[in-house]
Amino acid sequence: MNRKMLLYIVGTLLVLESVLLLVPALTGIIYRETVTWTFFLVSGICLAIGLPVRMHRPADTRFYAKEGYVCTALCWILMSLFGAIPLWLSGFYNNFVDALFEIVSGFTTTGATVLSNVEELPHCIILWRSFSHWIGGMGVLVFMLAVLPVSGESSMHLMRAESPGPQVGKLVPRVRESAALLYKLYIALTIAQIALMVMFGMPVFYAINVAFSTAGTGGFGFLNDSCGSFTAIQKILITIFMAAFGVNFNVYFWLYTGDVKSALHCEEARVYLGIILTSSLIIGFNILPMYQGAGGAFLDSFFQVSSIITTTGFSTADFDRWPELSRTILVGLMFIGACAGSTGGGIKVSRIIIMWKTILKEIAGIIHPRAVRLVRFEGEPVEHEVIRSVNVFVMAYLFLFAGSLLIVSLDNFDFTTNFASVACTINNVGPGLAAVGPTQNFGSFSNLSKIVYVIDMLAGRLELFPLLVLFNRNTWRGRQY
């Protein structure tokens, strides 16, 4: 274990977080809010701890898979612990566990909240919640790779540990350039959404918060009805951008470089958009009798499907009141999630495709035992190692889901509430059904359950294994090459 390099990266993260905390602090100054001091205080603490830790650059900057996973998990945990302190000190949260739940929900782009009235929050806290989505969406370590002195394959271990999906590669030969390009695309799309929202009548502060939450596919709202009171054109724009941020960013890279053919032939993106279209049409017709016109029904349908499959969590209607078919489809979309290499959560469309094709391959093998068949994805054969990793991921996912469901059942909520609460936290969705529906919150759960949800949210955002590696005693024994 390269502990010196690990400490250096953690120190750099704390310095970066001290800078990021100045964004809500400055917002508080603009609106003259008394809780602003909490952000300045924690910013100073992060700087005071981070600067000495990263003062000495280690001579050996090599990082391997185990260390990359450990570093990623530790950075996200520390980032959340320090990020929760301003919320806790503000007095708007009952205890530190509630504040931790809220900021983990922010950084992991989940969007679940313990608050029943978000409209009473100061502007600086509202912005910090939304900004945490934007920070966590692309990944803070991906941003740090652009400035950290981590070389070659070492930096790929960090990127793979933080980036969602079964396989992560470099867009360009150098990882630092890949990280920079990802953020350029991310920032460009965010600015585009802010501009369009303002153009169509949304106040600038609201537009910034909506864009931050949409870009990170998080879904923290600043109004109690989420997006219900927005205009039709504003809802349409949010729907488009939610779906756009759920696409693998490789597609935008191909478009950026003029490789339109590769972008159009991206199998995962085509399946993802096909799921959105099919699900939206089915739900639209299913809920049509509940609406006065088809326009409202299909607008809400497309909005909620895009919100759930991308794990954004915005809502324009109380979908918990929709017919059982529509609710069931939305729960299924929670598990499917967005594309790999996007800011969305869930199992990911690429894994679903690979698992489906593996099942078809096994069925064909039973019918024709001597035939040789390969699982192909994006036109290329899928290596056995990738199939194995997908299968292991799903097994670990199911074990964590079942364990979490068992523990939270101690609170004696109904099964729908328990199942939906675990599903929407481990998949980083936000709103669920029943007591955690779009008009409800997580405030009534015990601290034990909230800690379980915190673990689920972190595990879901980090693709399980970086967090699970921390609890393996062999992780901390020596150094593996």
Side-chain angles (χ1 to χ4, degrees):
M1 180 73 69
N2 190 345
R3 289 182 172 84
K4 291 184 179 180
M5 190 58 193
L6 178 62
L7 287 173
Y8 182 87
I9 295 176
V10 168
T12 304
L13 173 83
L14 291 177
V15 172
L16 176 60
E17 186 165 15
S18 72
V19 175
L20 296 174
L21 283 163
L22 295 178
V23 175
L26 293 175
T27 303
I29 290 177
I30 293 172
Y31 288 96
R32 299 179 181 180
E33 294 168 337
T34 56
V35 298
T36 304
W37 67 272
T38 62
F39 292 99
F40 280 114
L41 173 64
V42 180
S43 177
I45 293 173
C46 290
L47 192 64
I49 297 174
L51 273 180
V53 171
R54 76 177 302 274
M55 190 171 295
H56 302 288
R57 174 178 170 176
D60 183 6
T61 62
R62 289 175 297 172
F63 241 47
Y64 298 90
K66 177 184 71 173
E67 293 153 311
Y69 277 49
V70 169
C71 181
T72 299
L74 287 178
C75 282
W76 276 75
I77 291 171
L78 287 173
M79 182 172 65
S80 300
L81 289 172
F82 282 99
I85 297 175
L87 302 182
W88 177 45
L89 295 177
S90 71
F92 288 93
Y93 295 84
N94 294 328
N95 50 56
F96 185 76
V97 173
D98 278 3
L100 181 64
F101 177 97
E102 194 85 358
I103 201 61
V104 169
S105 178
F107 283 132
T108 60
T109 72
T110 303
T113 182
V114 295
L115 300 176
S116 57
N117 183 15
V118 296
E119 293 181 12
E120 68 177 2
L121 294 175
H123 292 79
C124 57
I125 292 181
I126 289 175
L127 186 70
W128 181 230
R129 293 164 81 242
S130 301
F131 190 42
S132 66
H133 284 329
W134 194 86
I135 295 168
M138 186 57 67
V140 68
L141 291 180
V142 173
F143 174 77
M144 287 169 59
L145 286 176
V147 295
L148 276 174
V150 184
S151 60
E153 188 64 22
S154 303
S155 53
M156 276 306 298
H157 292 309
L158 286 174
M159 181 174 278
R160 287 195 181 105
E162 188 178 45
S163 299
Q167 48 191 338
V168 174
K170 294 177 283 188
L171 301 181
V172 292
R174 297 184 62 186
V175 174
R176 179 174 297 184
E177 294 176 8
S178 293
L181 180 57
L182 282 172
Y183 259 93
K184 286 178 182 177
L185 294 169
Y186 191 47
I187 292 171
L189 286 171
T190 305
I191 293 174
Q193 184 179 2
I194 293 174
L196 286 170
M197 300 306 291
V198 172
M199 186 185 303
F200 286 96
M202 184 173 286
V204 175
F205 181 76
Y206 282 10
I208 291 172
N209 281 275
V210 167
F212 281 164
S213 293
T214 306
T217 59
F220 269 148
F222 43 83
L223 300 175
N224 290 334
D225 67 350
S226 188
C227 300
S229 57
F230 293 169
T231 65
I233 187 63
Q234 290 168 353
K235 293 176 183 177
I236 292 171
L237 286 173
I238 295 172
T239 301
I240 292 171
F241 276 98
M242 284 191 297
F245 281 108
V247 174
N248 191 320
F249 269 64
N250 281 348
V251 173
Y252 301 124
F253 170 73
W254 290 325
L255 293 174
Y256 176 78
T257 56
D259 189 359
V260 179
K261 183 178 179 181
S262 295
L264 294 177
H265 286 82
C266 178
E267 181 180 4
E268 184 182 26
R270 286 187 283 111
V271 172
Y272 162 75
L273 294 174
I275 292 173
I276 291 178
L277 178 61
T278 304
S279 301
S280 299
L281 290 175
I282 294 173
I283 291 177
F285 283 110
N286 189 229
I287 65 175
L288 191 57
M290 301 176 64
Y291 287 76
Q292 293 182 348
F298 283 98
L299 176 57
D300 281 354
S301 173
F302 273 93
F303 186 98
Q304 288 307 152
V305 167
S306 296
S307 176
I308 296 300
I309 195 172
T310 61
T311 69
T312 304
F314 280 142
S315 61
T316 55
D318 185 1
F319 55 79
D320 194 31
R321 297 177 178 272
W322 286 359
E324 205 62 36
L325 173 62
S326 297
R327 288 168 16 117
T328 302
I329 292 174
L330 291 178
V331 171
L333 296 177
M334 289 182 188
F335 289 91
I336 293 173
C339 298
S342 71
T343 60
I347 293 175
K348 305 292 180 300
V349 174
S350 56
R351 287 196 180 96
I352 300 296
I353 295 173
I354 291 172
M355 286 190 294
W356 174 250
K357 289 186 175 182
T358 302
I359 292 172
L360 295 180
K361 174 179 174 292
E362 291 300 315
I363 293 174
I366 294 172
I367 299 173
H368 302 287
R370 296 183 180 180
V372 178
R373 286 180 171 81
L374 296 175
V375 174
R376 291 184 176 275
F377 179 65
E378 304 288 4
E380 300 291 333
V382 179
E383 296 179 1
H384 175 74
E385 182 65 22
V386 174
I387 296 176
R388 186 194 65 83
S389 69
V390 169
N391 293 336
V392 172
F393 174 87
V394 173
M395 286 189 290
Y397 177 96
L398 292 175
F399 277 119
L400 179 61
F401 191 101
S404 301
L405 185 60
L406 185 65
I407 295 173
V408 301
S409 66
L410 293 172
D411 283 354
N412 278 327
F413 285 97
D414 60 276
F415 180 77
T416 300
T417 295
N418 293 335
F419 186 90
S421 65
V422 175
C424 65
T425 50
I426 199 172
N427 294 312
N428 305 130
V429 177
L433 301 175
V436 291
T439 61
Q440 307 296 322
N441 60 78
F442 284 73
S444 56
F445 286 92
S446 66
N447 284 341
L448 174 61
S449 292
K450 289 172 186 172
I451 291 172
V452 171
Y453 295 137
V454 164
I455 295 172
D456 286 345
M457 287 187 286
L458 285 169
R461 172 59 183 84
L462 298 179
E463 303 277 278
L464 305 184
F465 291 103
L467 199 65
L468 297 179
V469 163
L470 285 182
F471 299 100
N472 190 316
R473 61 182 180 179
N474 293 324
T475 298
W476 308 98
R477 292 181 178 178
R479 182 167 184 174
Q480 295 179 2
Y481 293 90

